[in-house]
mmCIF file of all heavy atoms in Angstrom:
data_model
loop_
_atom_site.group_PDB
_atom_site.id
_atom_site.type_symbol
_atom_site.label_atom_id
_atom_site.label_comp_id
_atom_site.label_asym_id
_atom_site.label_seq_id
_atom_site.Cartn_x
_atom_site.Cartn_y
_atom_site.Cartn_z
ATOM 1 N N VAL A 104 86.991 131.316 164.313
ATOM 2 C CA VAL A 104 87.452 132.617 163.885
ATOM 3 C C VAL A 104 88.847 132.903 164.479
ATOM 4 O O VAL A 104 89.689 133.510 163.802
ATOM 5 C CB VAL A 104 86.433 133.707 164.284
ATOM 6 C CG1 VAL A 104 87.022 135.100 164.080
ATOM 7 C CG2 VAL A 104 85.168 133.586 163.489
ATOM 8 N N SER A 105 89.067 132.467 165.679
ATOM 9 C CA SER A 105 90.363 132.724 166.381
ATOM 10 C C SER A 105 91.538 132.060 165.685
ATOM 11 O O SER A 105 92.689 132.470 165.852
ATOM 12 C CB SER A 105 90.298 132.264 167.822
ATOM 13 O OG SER A 105 90.315 130.844 167.927
ATOM 14 N N LEU A 106 91.283 131.016 164.873
ATOM 15 C CA LEU A 106 92.325 130.338 164.156
ATOM 16 C C LEU A 106 92.746 131.089 162.880
ATOM 17 O O LEU A 106 93.871 130.893 162.398
ATOM 18 C CB LEU A 106 91.898 128.914 163.783
ATOM 19 C CG LEU A 106 91.593 127.977 164.941
ATOM 20 C CD1 LEU A 106 91.121 126.591 164.383
ATOM 21 C CD2 LEU A 106 92.824 127.727 165.824
ATOM 22 N N ALA A 107 91.828 131.856 162.347
ATOM 23 C CA ALA A 107 92.096 132.538 161.061
ATOM 24 C C ALA A 107 92.820 133.839 161.286
ATOM 25 O O ALA A 107 92.297 134.932 161.065
ATOM 26 C CB ALA A 107 90.784 132.749 160.331
ATOM 27 N N THR A 108 94.074 133.781 161.753
ATOM 28 C CA THR A 108 94.827 134.961 162.004
ATOM 29 C C THR A 108 95.640 135.395 160.779
ATOM 30 O O THR A 108 95.891 134.590 159.877
ATOM 31 C CB THR A 108 95.828 134.706 163.181
ATOM 32 O OG1 THR A 108 96.672 133.586 162.836
ATOM 33 C CG2 THR A 108 95.083 134.340 164.444
ATOM 34 N N GLU A 109 96.039 136.634 160.774
ATOM 35 C CA GLU A 109 96.714 137.199 159.608
ATOM 36 C C GLU A 109 97.983 136.438 159.221
ATOM 37 O O GLU A 109 98.280 136.235 158.073
ATOM 38 C CB GLU A 109 97.037 138.678 159.873
ATOM 39 C CG GLU A 109 97.627 139.394 158.680
ATOM 40 C CD GLU A 109 97.872 140.854 158.958
ATOM 41 O OE1 GLU A 109 97.449 141.335 160.031
ATOM 42 O OE2 GLU A 109 98.501 141.522 158.119
ATOM 43 N N ASP A 110 98.706 136.007 160.244
ATOM 44 C CA ASP A 110 100.008 135.324 159.967
ATOM 45 C C ASP A 110 99.787 133.930 159.404
ATOM 46 O O ASP A 110 100.746 133.301 158.924
ATOM 47 C CB ASP A 110 100.849 135.268 161.240
ATOM 48 C CG ASP A 110 100.169 134.500 162.342
ATOM 49 O OD1 ASP A 110 98.955 134.759 162.568
ATOM 50 O OD2 ASP A 110 100.801 133.665 163.019
ATOM 51 N N CYS A 111 98.566 133.412 159.469
ATOM 52 C CA CYS A 111 98.276 132.050 158.941
ATOM 53 C C CYS A 111 97.628 132.066 157.578
ATOM 54 O O CYS A 111 97.319 130.997 157.023
ATOM 55 C CB CYS A 111 97.370 131.334 159.926
ATOM 56 S SG CYS A 111 98.122 130.915 161.518
ATOM 57 N N GLU A 112 97.383 133.279 157.004
ATOM 58 C CA GLU A 112 96.680 133.322 155.723
ATOM 59 C C GLU A 112 97.532 132.762 154.593
ATOM 60 O O GLU A 112 98.742 132.948 154.554
ATOM 61 C CB GLU A 112 96.303 134.762 155.403
ATOM 62 C CG GLU A 112 95.353 134.873 154.190
ATOM 63 C CD GLU A 112 94.759 136.232 154.039
ATOM 64 O OE1 GLU A 112 95.066 137.140 154.874
ATOM 65 O OE2 GLU A 112 93.997 136.426 153.085
ATOM 66 N N VAL A 113 96.887 132.035 153.724
ATOM 67 C CA VAL A 113 97.545 131.428 152.563
ATOM 68 C C VAL A 113 97.298 132.289 151.341
ATOM 69 O O VAL A 113 96.185 132.341 150.842
ATOM 70 C CB VAL A 113 97.071 129.990 152.335
ATOM 71 C CG1 VAL A 113 97.780 129.361 151.107
ATOM 72 C CG2 VAL A 113 97.279 129.138 153.573
ATOM 73 N N HIS A 114 98.324 132.955 150.855
ATOM 74 C CA HIS A 114 98.200 133.845 149.703
ATOM 75 C C HIS A 114 98.573 133.107 148.406
ATOM 76 O O HIS A 114 98.993 131.943 148.420
ATOM 77 C CB HIS A 114 99.117 135.085 149.874
ATOM 78 C CG HIS A 114 98.752 135.897 151.062
ATOM 79 N ND1 HIS A 114 97.676 136.764 151.100
ATOM 80 C CD2 HIS A 114 99.349 136.030 152.302
ATOM 81 C CE1 HIS A 114 97.613 137.367 152.273
ATOM 82 N NE2 HIS A 114 98.595 136.940 153.017
ATOM 83 N N ALA A 115 98.382 133.768 147.298
ATOM 84 C CA ALA A 115 98.667 133.177 145.987
ATOM 85 C C ALA A 115 100.120 132.746 145.866
ATOM 86 O O ALA A 115 100.433 131.717 145.315
ATOM 87 C CB ALA A 115 98.306 134.144 144.881
#
Side-chain angles (χ1 to χ4, degrees):
V104 170
S105 72
L106 297 178
T108 58
E109 184 178 352
D110 60 316
C111 293
E112 189 169 0
V113 180
H114 298 284

